[in-house]
Amino acid sequence: MFLSREKFCYVFYDEKLGYVKERTKNVNAAMTANRIVVLLVFVSGIAVAVIGTLLSQYIRGLSDHNYHHVFIPLPSESVLNVYDEVHLDVALPRSQLEIENSATSTAEALTSLHLALEMKLLGKQKKAIKLFQHAVALAPCHPDILNHYGEFLEYTQNDVIKANEYYVRALSYQPNHEGALINSQRTARVVEELDRRMLRRIDEKRNALSAIPDNNAALIRAKKEAYFQHIYHTVGIEGNTMNLAQTRAIVETRTAVVGKSIDEHNEILGLDAAMKYINATLVNRVGSISIKDILEIHTRVLGHVDPVQGGQFRRTQVYVGGHIPPGPGDIHYLMEEFASWLNSERAIRMHPVRYAALAHYKLVHIHPFSDGNGRTSRLLMNMILMQAGYPPVIIHKQHRHTYYENLQIANTGDVRPFVRFIAECTEQTLDLFLWATSEFSRQVPALSQETLFTEKRNTVILEDDFRNGATNTFDTD
């Protein structure tokens, strides 16, 4: 027969039952007193807290007009302006900045616009273009200013492509703007025809490069040199300060460069590892591109810099280039959607340059990683291009501002300028390979020279909805 603890104790002290009862009575009385004391302390604490809160609110109300907090917390996402991946600029709330300055800036911008139009009529184009640019800088979202500047570029500068971009940008802010709508429709067909010509020209140059035998000594030398230059420029876009000779020495000898940070060394080693992985496994593979492939690339990009974050989707919100990417809770879904688009028949049937550029933009727009998004996106883009027989595109570090500017324009709804930029980089890379393998060449020209976009402006057409074989691998041998 089992006895409870209380019963067991009671039986054990049976001979001194009177003593136990008396002691129990005293203990019960003491416990009751303790409960009363605790209750009183708890009630007193609540009362003091309430009184203190009311008193602090009263004092704050009296002194709000002359008291300022030293510590300013980070404002909400809607008032953050980020112009670079590294630097975060915090804008003042709308009530303190936009309301006070917007009207003044718009008035000044319209004054500058009127002066620009006067200079245009007087034939003073240099003064006019400066005034137009000043007006756009003051009011970059004003549809009238954008439309007038587009007309100036079209009729006096003969830049139909850039003019069309400004017409489309004006419509993104005011879809029913009559002038911009007429101008956009008129110039659209001209731009589309120029796009087709450029794509045909790029394909002809790719075919010419593909006709060169793989064992051609000049081609092997050009591939090797382009490999180092690709690493140099793509890490340079992110702020790496290594020069081309230092980059090459790190890749070839794995020796440290005096005066350079560990992270700068590791960025180069990580990109080298990622490019070798693509060259060995992905370029010649037939089949779909998976999320796992993208994660494997990113693992190697950050493998030396931050192994913990390498190959992992971010778990925090980030702010990049005036664009607030999706929250971390949406990353998995968006990446699944992105992978479906990558492998869709509609995407695969696009021109390879357009397909690769859009893949780059879509991935960097999602910004799935805490770091290394740009490098991973450029590597994915080049993998697609190499699978189609193009050499890996080299984006000059000197053109990083144009690169980021076109990404920002794409975020406003017009991704065409970014695709055009990638197409121009593709054509220049092809030109470099063809020049390096020509009869009289002796070396690959230095990519640091300002040779891009100097002769003429070219375009690449996009599908309408975006307005709302042989391989050529990296070679280190």
Side-chain angles (χ1 to χ4, degrees):
M1 179 178 181
F2 292 95
L3 299 173
S4 66
R5 180 177 179 86
E6 293 77 12
K7 183 66 175 176
F8 179 82
C9 294
Y10 179 78
V11 173
F12 182 80
Y13 288 103
D14 188 69
E15 293 181 349
K16 299 182 179 180
L17 185 59
Y19 168 75
V20 172
K21 288 182 178 180
E22 184 64 26
R23 184 179 178 184
T24 301
K25 186 184 300 182
N26 294 338
V27 170
N28 290 338
M31 291 178 64
T32 301
N34 289 337
R35 290 194 185 97
I36 294 173
V37 171
V38 171
L39 182 62
L40 290 174
V41 171
F42 180 75
V43 172
S44 300
I46 294 176
V48 170
V50 172
I51 294 172
T53 301
L54 294 175
L55 184 60
S56 65
Q57 290 178 350
Y58 175 74
I59 294 174
R60 186 182 305 167
L62 293 176
S63 58
D64 255 357
H65 64 282
N66 59 8
Y67 180 78
H68 300 279
H69 293 286
V70 175
F71 177 80
I72 301 176
L74 191 68
S76 63
E77 297 176 9
S78 60
V79 293
L80 287 177
N81 277 329
V82 186
Y83 298 98
D84 192 88
E85 285 188 307
V86 180
H87 303 290
L88 177 66
D89 294 331
V90 181
L92 294 174
R94 178 178 174 81
S95 59
Q96 299 180 33
L97 178 64
E98 294 182 359
I99 292 179
E100 292 178 3
N101 298 329
S102 178
T104 303
S105 296
T106 302
E108 184 180 348
L110 290 174
T111 300
S112 182
L113 173 63
H114 293 317
L115 291 173
L117 293 174
E118 290 180 7
M119 294 298 104
K120 175 185 175 182
L121 291 175
L122 294 174
K124 299 179 179 180
Q125 295 187 12
K126 290 184 178 180
K127 290 185 177 180
I129 196 168
K130 290 181 179 179
L131 289 166
F132 273 121
Q133 291 172 348
H134 182 62
V136 172
L138 289 173
C141 303
H142 199 291
D144 290 335
I145 294 174
L146 296 172
N147 183 60
H148 280 297
Y149 186 35
E151 291 175 342
F152 174 81
L153 292 172
E154 180 182 358
Y155 294 115
T156 65
Q157 305 296 305
N158 296 320
D159 195 342
V160 180
I161 297 162
K162 197 67 178 177
N164 179 263
E165 291 177 10
Y166 276 98
Y167 299 148
V168 171
R169 198 183 307 182
L171 291 173
S172 69
Y173 297 113
Q174 187 177 334
N176 60 347
H177 192 283
E178 184 176 357
L181 189 61
I182 294 173
N183 289 331
S184 175
Q185 292 174 346
R186 185 187 66 257
T187 57
R189 291 189 178 183
V190 178
V191 172
E192 289 174 359
E193 179 56 31
L194 291 172
D195 288 340
R196 292 189 182 95
R197 291 179 185 177
M198 184 180 188
L199 288 177
R200 287 195 295 267
R201 186 170 63 249
I202 289 175
D203 287 342
E204 289 172 358
K205 292 179 179 181
R206 179 201 59 179
N207 295 339
L209 183 62
S210 299
I212 300 174
D214 290 336
N215 60 356
N216 181 282
L219 180 60
I220 293 173
R221 185 172 64 250
K223 284 184 178 181
K224 185 174 183 179
E225 184 64 22
Y227 183 89
F228 299 119
Q229 292 181 352
H230 183 273
I231 296 177
Y232 161 66
H233 283 285
T234 200
V235 298
I237 288 175
E238 309 295 336
N240 194 296
T241 62
M242 296 281 189
N243 61 35
L244 179 58
Q246 292 168 336
T247 301
R248 181 169 188 148
I250 291 171
V251 173
E252 286 187 321
T253 67
R254 293 299 197 265
T255 56
V257 176
V258 177
K260 300 296 183 179
S261 69
I262 295 175
D263 281 349
E264 288 185 309
H265 288 79
N266 287 336
E267 287 170 358
I268 292 171
L269 295 175
L271 197 65
D272 175 48
M275 290 167 68
K276 287 178 178 175
Y277 170 75
I278 291 173
N279 193 45
T281 63
L282 300 181
V283 169
N284 295 310
R285 192 186 69 185
V286 177
S288 61
I289 303 171
S290 67
I291 293 178
K292 184 178 182 298
D293 295 330
I294 298 173
L295 292 176
E296 289 290 346
I297 294 172
H298 185 258
T299 297
R300 287 157 178 80
V301 168
L302 284 194
H304 294 80
V305 178
D306 191 351
V308 176
Q309 294 296 328
Q312 300 293 324
F313 292 142
R314 58 180 168 87
R315 297 180 177 84
T316 58
Q317 182 64 58
V318 292
Y319 309 89
V320 182
H323 162 62
I324 302 178
D330 298 325
I331 297 298
H332 286 274
Y333 164 75
L334 292 173
M335 288 300 293
E336 290 286 351
E337 194 176 59
F338 173 61
S340 297
W341 175 84
L342 271 178
N343 301 298
S344 66
E345 182 180 356
R346 177 184 173 194
I348 294 172
R349 291 179 63 183
M350 292 180 183
H351 189 280
V353 173
R354 183 188 310 156
Y355 175 38
L358 290 177
H360 176 308
Y361 169 70
K362 284 175 175 286
L363 182 59
V364 84
H365 183 81
I366 297 172
H367 224 75
F369 309 111
S370 59
D371 188 23
N373 293 276
R375 282 162 283 172
T376 303
S377 298
R378 290 191 289 276
L379 288 169
L380 174 65
M381 174 184 71
N382 278 330
M383 182 190 77
I384 293 172
L385 287 173
M386 288 188 292
Q387 288 178 338
Y390 297 85
V393 168
I394 300 173
I395 300 176
H396 292 204
K397 62 182 291 185
Q398 289 83 357
H399 301 117
R400 73 183 298 270
H401 295 296
T402 304
Y403 171 66
Y404 285 130
E405 180 185 6
N406 286 320
L407 283 172
Q408 290 178 357
I409 293 173
N411 289 335
T412 67
D414 188 5
V415 75
R416 296 175 305 164
F418 177 71
V419 179
R420 289 167 187 153
F421 174 79
I422 296 301
E424 290 168 335
C425 293
T426 303
E427 184 171 20
Q428 191 202 28
T429 303
L430 284 165
D431 289 339
L432 289 168
F433 272 93
L434 292 173
W435 185 89
T437 54
S438 64
E439 183 179 356
F440 300 103
S441 68
R442 291 291 179 269
Q443 61 181 3
V444 179
L447 292 181
S448 59
Q449 61 189 8
E450 293 293 330
T451 58
L452 192 59
F453 319 136
T454 55
E455 297 181 359
K456 56 184 176 297
R457 185 173 178 83
N458 303 308
T459 64
V460 175
I461 188 172
L462 290 180
E463 292 182 338
D464 292 337
D465 63 336
F466 274 102
R467 297 180 181 176
N468 193 34
T471 62
N472 196 325
T473 62
F474 292 114
D475 193 344
T476 58
D477 297 332

